[in-house]
Amino acid sequence: MTTANDVHLIDLVRTVLKMVIDPELGQNVVDLGMIYEITVTDGCIIGILMTTTTRGCPATDFIRQGIEECAWHVDGVELVNVRLTYDPPWAPSMMTPEIAALLG
């Protein structure tokens, strides 16, 4: 069951993840649609399911590390578990409309 505190923590994590920039596209991973899910368990453990724009992306480790480090800095977070998936594969349609318009 998701509590109000969990929702607040998820919102805070999502906000700080906007600091993580995909070096190829120059935009943040949240607005690019690369963050598939953020969960909270036991009130303080953050799970982040993410993807990259392509399999074998040379920036995968860089992006993943940035995501983990940003999430760690949120008050109340005690553990961060970042998982990578390609199901579903990332597509430009996952970007926010503003970023899609900006990137053309």
Side-chain angles (χ1 to χ4, degrees), residues 71-83:
W72 269 104
H73 284 91
V74 173
D75 285 339
V77 172
E78 292 184 17
L79 182 66
V80 178
N81 179 21
V82 179
R83 294 179 300 129

Side-chain angles (χ1 to χ4, degrees), residues 1-2 5-7 9-10 38-47:
M1 182 172 158
T2 303
N5 190 54
D6 292 347
V7 171
L9 197 54
I10 289 168
I38 301 171
T39 57
V40 177
T41 54
D42 296 329
C44 60
I45 301 170
I46 299 296

Side-chain angles (χ1 to χ4, degrees), residues 13-96:
V13 169
R14 186 175 314 280
T15 298
V16 300
L17 291 185
K18 288 187 175 193
M19 295 173 48
V20 181
I21 303 299
D22 178 288
E24 180 184 1
L25 297 176
Q27 300 297 321
N28 76 75
V29 296
V30 173
D31 291 342
L32 285 171
M34 294 168 55
I35 304 299
Y36 286 171
E37 181 178 65
I38 301 171
T39 57
V40 177
T41 54
D42 296 329
C44 60
I45 301 170
I46 299 296
I48 300 170
L49 185 62
M50 64 160 285
T51 195
T52 56
T53 55
T54 60
R55 284 185 182 265
C57 171
T60 298
D61 290 337
F62 171 80
I63 294 169
R64 186 178 183 155
Q65 182 179 5
I67 288 169
E68 186 174 300
E69 287 179 13
C70 281
W72 269 104
H73 284 91
V74 173
D75 285 339
V77 172
E78 292 184 17
L79 182 66
V80 178
N81 179 21
V82 179
R83 294 179 300 129
L84 182 66
T85 187
Y86 291 100
D87 184 25
W90 182 86
S93 61
M94 295 174 168
M95 293 186 278
T96 63

